[in-house]
Amino acid sequence: MRVRPLALLREALGDLDPSVRRTAALELGARGVSEAMPELVGMVVEEANDVDAADALGTLAGDAVVADRIVTALSDRLADAALDSSARRRVTQALAEIPGPAARDTLTSLTGDGDRTVALTARYVLELREPG
């Protein structure tokens, strides 16, 4: 019996070992499997291969419905008062990878964030997205 790689990766996404889960999430995200989204968002927040995780989220965001779910998940993390400044900045940077109006609107709202670094990051990302 032949086991399919996607089935193994999906199984690994539930592994107790964070490094196994994260590797699976990156591989699944690169293949457009939206089940990886929660783990990828967590990786951005936790600074665990956050740049690669943001890239994978960008790949998943090729589907507009998934893009909206990603923006919602990232926004929910930003709303967590316990999230430190560094994590808020990484989440803001991850929004740069997500196309569409939901990400743009979230970034626009972040330009007025009380954390100057987050506000400047959001402003910079918007400038990159919409060159004037």
Side-chain angles (χ1 to χ4, degrees):
M1 177 157 116
R2 184 171 174 201
V3 178
R4 295 179 178 235
L6 280 180
L8 290 174
L9 288 170
R10 283 185 166 110
E11 183 179 326
L13 195 57
D15 198 278
L16 295 176
D17 183 338
S19 64
V20 172
R21 280 194 319 272
R22 291 170 179 160
T23 300
L26 290 171
E27 290 297 322
L28 287 167
R31 290 177 166 95
V33 178
S34 64
E35 292 169 53
M37 191 261 302
E39 187 70 29
L40 294 168
V41 169
M43 290 171 66
V44 170
V45 171
E46 297 163 14
E47 198 174 11
N49 288 352
D50 54 299
V51 173
D52 292 334
D55 287 344
L57 288 169
T59 298
L60 293 176
D63 177 317
V65 172
V66 176
D68 287 346
R69 287 181 39 224
I70 293 168
V71 172
T72 298
L74 293 172
S75 296
D76 288 349
R77 294 298 184 104
L78 286 167
D80 180 356
L83 197 64
D84 67 37
S85 178
S86 179
R88 289 176 52 75
R89 181 184 35 79
R90 287 191 303 278
V91 170
T92 303
Q93 290 170 330
L95 285 164
E97 301 297 327
I98 312 304
R104 184 189 62 241
D105 293 348
T106 301
L107 287 163
T108 299
S109 72
L110 288 170
T111 63
D113 195 85
D115 182 324
R116 181 169 161 69
T117 305
V118 169
L120 290 173
T121 300
R123 202 168 291 129
Y124 177 70
V125 169
L126 284 170
E127 287 175 13
L128 290 177
R129 289 170 67 106
E130 302 170 15

